[in-house]
Every structure is written in C-alpha cells, then in structure tokens.
Amino acid sequence: MKRLSTVALTALLLVSAFCYTERSAHSEDAFDYNSNQVLHPEWFIKVTDWSFYTAARVAMLSSVTIENTSDVTYRDVRVKLLYTSYPAPVAGIIATNTTTLPVTLPPRSKATYLKGGMTVGAGEQSYKLSEIVVISATAVKD
C-alpha cells in the first residue's frame, strides 16, 4: 500500500511538471502576462555593441546596438554599466552605474540607438566600459 502511494505521488508530480513546462515554453499569445518574454525580458534583450567615451569627467554612451530576440515589444530598457580601468595598480571592475535607455525595441529586431548620445553618469578618462548588462525592460502590448 505504501509503495502504491509513492508511485502514484511520483506519477502525479511528473505529470504536473510536464504540463507546467509545456505551458511556459510555448504560448499562443507572446504577450501573456505570465510568459517568460514578459517576466524575464533580460533573457531576450542583448546589447551587442556600444560606443563610449568620457569628456570632462562625464561618461557618455554615444551609441548602443541592441538585439531583441523575443516576439514582444519592449521600452525603457534598464541596464547596468560595468567600468574597468587598465592602468596599474587598479584591475578589474572599478565602478558600476545603472541607467534606463529611453528606447523602444520592436520584436525580432537588431538596431543602433542613441546616435545623438546620452549622459550615463560621472567617469574618468581611464574608465573603459567593459560590459552592458540588461536588468529589465517594460513589455508593451501591441
């Protein structure tokens, strides 16, 4: 009797896990409020290239290329900038900054934004922007 209940419980758990995985992986509507494309935009938005400089201790992001691999439109992409410095004795990440990029990303797109430039905080001439990490974005229902 005890073994039968263990087998039944295991079967029930496997069936429920399979149903949950199938529902999450494939959605009829890309903008389902519970879909990964809405809940985790950072999985689908990648910053692939950028142009960065510092002038008079002001950090400027002069352009950024962003790829959106999802079926959802996003706006207000929140990113974390990781700065490094190469002169000795400092090595590795020396500063971070979080900012919101005022862009709208169409579904399945790759484009260059901020061609006019954007101030992203304070900096020094020795700062090098080593990485831009997407933290979040606002999904827009079409």
Side-chain angles (χ1 to χ4, degrees):
M1 180 70 172
K2 188 175 184 180
R3 182 175 180 154
L4 181 60
S5 64
T6 304
V7 171
L9 181 62
T10 303
L12 180 64
L13 287 173
L14 286 173
V15 168
S16 63
F18 177 74
C19 291
Y20 176 77
T21 304
E22 284 299 309
R23 187 182 72 76
S24 298
H26 305 288
S27 175
E28 295 291 324
D29 179 17
F31 195 90
D32 177 12
Y33 285 100
N34 293 321
S35 75
N36 284 335
Q37 294 183 34
V38 173
L39 296 175
H40 298 285
E42 68 276 8
W43 295 354
F44 302 93
I45 302 171
K46 303 294 180 228
V47 177
T48 58
D49 193 23
W50 59 83
S51 177
F52 171 83
Y53 65 93
T54 53
R57 296 191 180 189
V58 176
M60 297 290 294
L61 194 58
S62 59
S63 70
V64 62
T65 303
I66 304 174
E67 182 177 6
N68 177 8
T69 59
S70 78
D71 297 324
V72 174
T73 301
Y74 297 105
R75 66 177 168 81
D76 299 332
V77 179
R78 190 157 173 81
V79 295
K80 185 174 194 174
L81 308 163
L82 303 173
Y83 301 107
T84 58
S85 180
Y86 298 107
V90 179
I93 297 174
I94 58 171
T96 63
N97 186 22
T98 304
T99 190
T100 301
L101 304 177
V103 298
T104 300
L105 308 175
R108 303 274 175 202
S109 66
K110 183 175 183 177
T112 302
Y113 301 93
L114 305 177
K115 294 178 183 173
M118 178 181 162
T119 304
V120 291
E124 288 187 16
Q125 294 295 335
S126 63
Y127 280 17
K128 307 292 182 209
L129 182 58
S130 62
E131 189 174 359
I132 300 177
V133 179
V134 176
I135 298 172
S136 66
T138 303
V140 179
K141 189 167 186 172
D142 294 330

